[in-house]
Amino acid sequence: MIESTAIHQNMIAKLATRSALDSEDRAAIEALPVYVRDVRASSYLIEEGQQATRCVFLNEGFVYRQKLTTHGARQIVSVQIPGDFVDLQNLFLKRSDHSIQALTGGTIAEIPVDAMRALALGRPGVGRAMWIDALVDASLAREWVLNVGRRDARGRVAHLICEFSVRLQAAGIAEGVNYALPMTQEQIGDATGLTAVHVNRTLRTLTEGGMIGRNGQQITIRDEKALRTLAGFSAGYLHLDQAA
Amino acid sequence: MIESTAIHQNMIAKLATRSALDSEDRAAIEALPVYVRDVRASSYLIEEGQQATRCVFLNEGFVYRQKLTTHGARQIVSVQIPGDFVDLQNLFLKRSDHSIQALTGGTIAEIPVDAMRALALGRPGVGRAMWIDALVDASLAREWVLNVGRRDARGRVAHLICEFSVRLQAAGIAEGVNYALPMTQEQIGDATGLTAVHVNRTLRTLTEGGMIGRNGQQITIRDEKALRTLAGFSAGYLHLDQAA
DNA sequence: CGGTCTCTTGAGCAGAGTCAATGAACGTGG
DNA sequence: CCACGTTCATTGACTCTGCTCAAGAGACCG
């Protein structure tokens, strides 16, 4: 176990965006035992079916959750950004129903589930913030069902780009319309239910249409209005205004 | 407000499948104010964007959650069966990110969110059960992302049929392989990201392949093994073994 | 008895997938 | 410093799954 006030502060900052925390709430979070660890790109944090004994807070870097079809096809069901709790579901569920893999290198904080659970059930202020975090996570999953089920290729990719942009800005990671989308085209395909080849063609039409600019994995939103219209993007499902 | 011990007992029974409840937990649930109401098929229980002041327990009948694309396409993101809490997310989120509509006629119990929230945060036993319920709900949403994103039409429909069968059995509503799937083919399409026409053809191939039998909305699973294989169905994501 | 909803089926189309080849970028070991 | 292997991105040619449009048949209801 490592002393790590900075990470505790990041956790507090995140939870405070979900619900107001009083000084006792903050103290309780600061008292949480935390094991800090670096992860390499594409390493697994949690594998499907595994029993989780720790709960992961993503301090730096990007990770995603994925599920596999028996046929071997992969679906990415969410992408987590710095400051996200990655597997609150393992707080109360016995086995993980999906794998969690690192998209990039990063650093995570692992918290024993018992301690985290005690906080969730014992401190209403923190519990409320955790509830909101978990419920927003579920809301994103529902939006992804809609994205993958009812939008065409351009809409899906555009929506992913919009969502990422807004989340990064809300987390204070990206400023303005320019950001790095740390995913290969194959991963974008796995997140949107498309093939890598088709993602490539789709990105091209978005670029040619003047909606985005690209430079490697760097994305620039050139025409936000048009992109959002194409995506049918509306930020309500992100529930960013909870703590207001 | 209506005295309704039977419904309180159903709520207790449901939560007890998620986590053990002691006698005080049960008493607290029994003390919950509950407004019982009948709903007609296709009426809205909650509309997207609305602020929820009550939390809905589905006592009888079926409802579904849906989201709309700006283009007007509909995606059903979940189907709730008798005994489900329909909108735990409204406990802590300000606005609903989706609509909830009745699939069939039924009866619901509405509980003021304040009372429900107090229980979630104040009674660890009940809170834990509610957490699990919400997390399982999110797990289903993730599986639906996979279903819609990475399975072909036959797999999607087969998966929906398997999921429904297992959930109905777990809830003690259906026995064996024969049950009513109270959805039109259009609704099945909206749940699986297909068109009604293609659902029709897909159901036909499942019938002709000897996997299911149909009689109106009555479904019979004739070859469960083959159907599950085709669907890539594995019940782990339903987390049915939590309270064991 | 007419109207509405749902299911069914046919014909033709198109959006996205498959297969395959090439090129660029990058890291590594000799 | 360079040759090589690997990973990604890109593009072309062709295929096919699922969509669109359309029409007819039952079932149910007021």
Side-chain angles (χ1 to χ4, degrees), chain A residues 110-121:
Chain A
E110 299 184 311
I111 306 137
V113 282
D114 298 333
M116 201 70 177
R117 204 148 49 199
L119 226 55
L121 297 177

Side-chain angles (χ1 to χ4, degrees), chain B residues 16-39:
Chain B
T17 67
R18 298 308 196 188
S19 182
L21 301 175
D22 64 27
S23 57
E24 282 184 65
D25 291 332
R26 288 163 197 266
I29 297 170
E30 279 168 350
L32 235 32
V34 146
Y35 303 78
V36 177
R37 184 157 75 82
D38 285 346
V39 295

Side-chain angles (χ1 to χ4, degrees), chain B residues 184-185 197 200-201 204 214:
Chain B
T184 65
Q185 291 179 1
V197 171
N200 184 284
R201 296 193 230 269
R204 182 149 62 96
R214 287 187 299 148

Side-chain angles (χ1 to χ4, degrees), chain A residues 42-85:
Chain A
S42 83
S43 61
Y44 282 89
L45 307 198
I46 291 163
E47 301 215 33
E48 185 172 342
Q50 196 179 305
Q51 260 173 298
T53 55
R54 64 255 145 93
C55 176
V56 175
F57 176 75
L58 182 59
N59 194 59
E60 206 187 306
F62 294 82
V63 306
Y64 59 93
R65 308 198 193 132
Q66 66 169 6
K67 304 191 71 153
L68 296 175
T69 266
T70 47
H71 197 66
R74 176 173 71 163
Q75 177 69 44
I76 292 178
V77 296
S78 79
V79 178
Q80 316 299 134
I81 69 175
D84 282 349
F85 286 94

